[in-house]
Amino acid sequence: MTATLIEGKLVAEEIRAELKKRIAALEKEGIRPGLAVVLVGEDPASQVYVGMKEKSCAELGIFSDPHHLPAGTTQAELLTLVRRLNADSRINGILVQLPLPDQIDETAVIEAIDPDKDVDGFHPVTLGRLVIGVDTFRPCTPAGVQELLLRSGVNLEGKSVVIVGRSNIVGKPLANMLLQKAPGANATVTIAHSRTADLPAVVKGADVVVAAMGSPEFIRGEWLKPGAVVIDVGVNRVDDPRAKRGYRLVGDVHFESAVKVASRISPVPGGVGPMTIVMLMTNTVLSAERTLKKRTGGK
Ligand code: GUN
């Protein structure tokens, strides 16, 4: 058996086409969705991510408001900027790229963002709403995973989903999303992690495996139940002298062995990666739609 690919690139393209229509409808009402993108310092990976987010805004016709601040920015300065963006009616979403330099308390900055503009889905209020199943912004990477499964026709209802990785950004929110009584959810969810006893046996019980622990090629095909669906969230650089850049990207799943056992698998790159940014754009458009709804009295 060879698994078929779950191609995030194609699904992201489909969502972008839908977003263009929603943005056009907002335009008719005189609204252009706006995303503030805040980057502090010169971390090369963060610069690449922020550049991709700004480019995606431009392609869709979302107003992007870039704030690239020096590495020495103080916490007080950053909090002042966040508060200003909270009050700016042109801005529907605020994204503060993480990690932040050591002198800045990340939690304090995230908590300063107005939850109504928390398009990253990192604010404790957003996460609390997510846990109790109240409509809110879904954090972008878990939302990408859920959307990828839904749009690939993978029905999770009653299925056993094992999420390997317990991060605040992926594992914990995703587990809460997939166990909700809602379309694209209703799964029986297990979160496994680095201290899980006999991880291969836990993975063996899964109809759907989501790998999100950040260890290159850790999950082996032999661990999988035949026919399992595999979503690989990992993005790891491994040295490869044959590659042009001297490295290549691999996921948390050992693709060559997994592809022989799984029924469907998302590749790295081209799987979850392209979904994350499109979900950020989706949240920004959703925020603008909510603003319009409030203006028109919920009609
Ligand atoms: N750093 C790594 N991933 C992310 C993300 O999804 N959002 C933000 N703000 N920072 C990140």
Side-chain angles (χ1 to χ4, degrees):
M1 182 160 59
T2 302
T4 50
L5 290 183
I6 294 182
E7 295 190 69
K9 248 195 231 175
L10 302 180
V11 178
E13 196 50 56
E14 177 186 306
I15 296 174
R16 262 195 297 276
E18 294 167 10
L19 285 180
K20 280 185 186 159
K21 288 184 198 153
R22 288 166 65 180
I23 291 166
L26 284 166
E27 236 166 49
K28 277 196 192 135
E29 303 290 337
I31 291 182
R32 186 167 182 214
L35 176 68
V37 181
V38 182
L39 172 66
V40 184
E42 268 123 45
D43 177 69
S46 289
Q47 283 177 329
V48 171
Y49 288 134
V50 160
M52 286 160 68
K53 290 167 187 178
E54 288 168 356
K55 187 166 157 245
S56 186
C57 282
E59 279 167 8
L60 287 170
I62 292 174
F63 164 60
S64 104
D65 180 26
H67 296 268
H68 296 186
L69 309 177
T73 300
T74 66
Q75 177 159 328
E77 285 166 338
L78 185 54
L79 289 175
T80 301
L81 172 63
V82 168
R83 290 186 189 118
R84 185 154 64 73
L85 295 169
N86 282 343
D88 186 338
S89 63
R90 296 170 308 160
I91 300 301
N92 303 105
I94 301 170
L95 175 128
V96 179
Q97 186 67 27
L98 304 180
L100 290 166
D102 289 346
Q103 74 275 15
I104 298 176
D105 175 358
E106 270 179 15
T107 306
V109 173
I110 290 169
E111 290 189 4
I113 295 172
D114 179 346
D116 288 342
K117 298 189 178 187
D118 178 33
V119 288
D120 240 344
F122 290 172
H123 194 288
V125 167
T126 309
L127 291 169
R129 285 180 178 154
L130 196 81
V131 170
I132 60 176
V134 172
D135 194 23
T136 187
F137 295 115
R138 292 178 296 168
C140 303
T141 301
V145 172
Q146 188 176 33
E147 212 59 38
L148 204 49
L149 287 165
L150 189 65
R151 290 173 184 255
S152 306
V154 178
N155 181 9
L156 294 182
E157 183 139 350
K159 296 283 169 57
S160 165
V161 176
V162 172
I163 299 168
V164 189
R166 55 180 156 183
S167 71
N168 290 334
I169 293 184
V170 184
K172 284 187 212 162
L174 181 63
N176 282 285
M177 286 156 58
L178 298 187
L179 59 77
Q180 294 297 333
K181 204 179 244 184
N186 282 314
T188 303
V189 181
T190 303
I191 305 186
H193 47 77
S194 55
R195 304 291 170 90
T196 296
D198 201 356
L199 183 59
V202 174
V203 169
K204 196 59 130 185
D207 301 306
V208 177
V209 179
V210 181
M213 70 292 195
S215 305
E217 302 181 311
F218 192 73
I219 294 178
R220 311 276 318 178
E222 305 85 85
W223 299 9
L224 300 170
K225 181 198 278 193
V229 174
V230 177
I231 302 292
D232 194 347
V233 182
V235 183
N236 309 286
R237 283 185 183 189
V238 294
D239 292 338
D240 183 352
R242 284 168 304 170
K244 225 194 289 172
R245 297 194 185 107
Y247 68 87
R248 65 193 162 88
L249 293 180
V250 298
D252 289 350
V253 176
H254 185 258
F255 188 85
E256 288 73 22
S257 56
V259 79
K260 293 184 190 141
V261 185
S263 60
R264 316 179 76 174
I265 185 167
S266 73
V268 177
V272 175
M275 294 295 294
T276 297
I277 290 183
V278 86
M279 296 320 296
L280 175 69
M281 301 296 122
T282 301
N283 280 346
T284 305
V285 171
L286 184 63
S287 180
E289 289 168 344
R290 286 181 181 154
T291 304
L292 174 64
K293 212 168 174 183
K294 269 189 213 149
R295 196 200 283 172
T296 58
K299 283 185 217 91

